[in-house]
Amino acid sequence: MGSKREHGAPATVEIGLPADCRMAAQTALLGDLLGALDAPATRIDGRAVERVDTAALQLLTLFRREALARGCAVSWRGASATLCEAADTLGLVKALDLPAAMPA
């Protein structure tokens, strides 16, 4: 995977997490995250997440770690209470740099 981006590519990649954010159902999420590694910045929208599993949270953590190592900024548009609670249970809130949960 190279670090070059095409001329005219957007500076920030937007990735919206689906309501069902479990890895068994999310091969598209992996592709989106891999594609975003070449962007200078990525904003993840986790406001719609209603279901999430450990594998999906681990994938997001690894994505953030790799993106930061490449000098790419990673931010959140928002995070659902479900996403925040699951990350908290696994001790990943800081690793993901999650914002406060959105009110229900």
Side-chain angles (χ1 to χ4, degrees), residues 65-86:
R65 184 179 304 151
E66 179 63 20
L68 294 176
R70 293 180 182 211
C72 303
V74 178
S75 62
W76 290 87
R77 180 171 293 261
S80 70
T82 299
L83 180 59
C84 290
E85 289 169 13

Side-chain angles (χ1 to χ4, degrees), residues 5-90:
R5 67 182 181 118
E6 294 179 30
H7 181 68
T12 300
V13 173
E14 298 272 345
I15 298 176
L17 300 180
D20 186 354
C21 191
R22 294 176 294 170
M23 280 310 298
Q26 292 308 317
T27 57
L29 176 58
L30 177 59
D32 289 346
L33 293 172
L34 288 174
L37 285 173
D38 290 330
T42 300
R43 184 175 305 122
I44 302 170
D45 187 348
R47 295 175 294 179
V49 174
E50 296 173 2
R51 298 181 83 180
V52 64
D53 64 7
T54 302
L57 288 169
Q58 289 172 328
L59 176 63
L60 290 167
T61 301
L62 290 172
F63 165 75
R64 184 171 184 276
R65 184 179 304 151
E66 179 63 20
L68 294 176
R70 293 180 182 211
C72 303
V74 178
S75 62
W76 290 87
R77 180 171 293 261
S80 70
T82 299
L83 180 59
C84 290
E85 289 169 13
D88 185 50
T89 297
L90 295 171

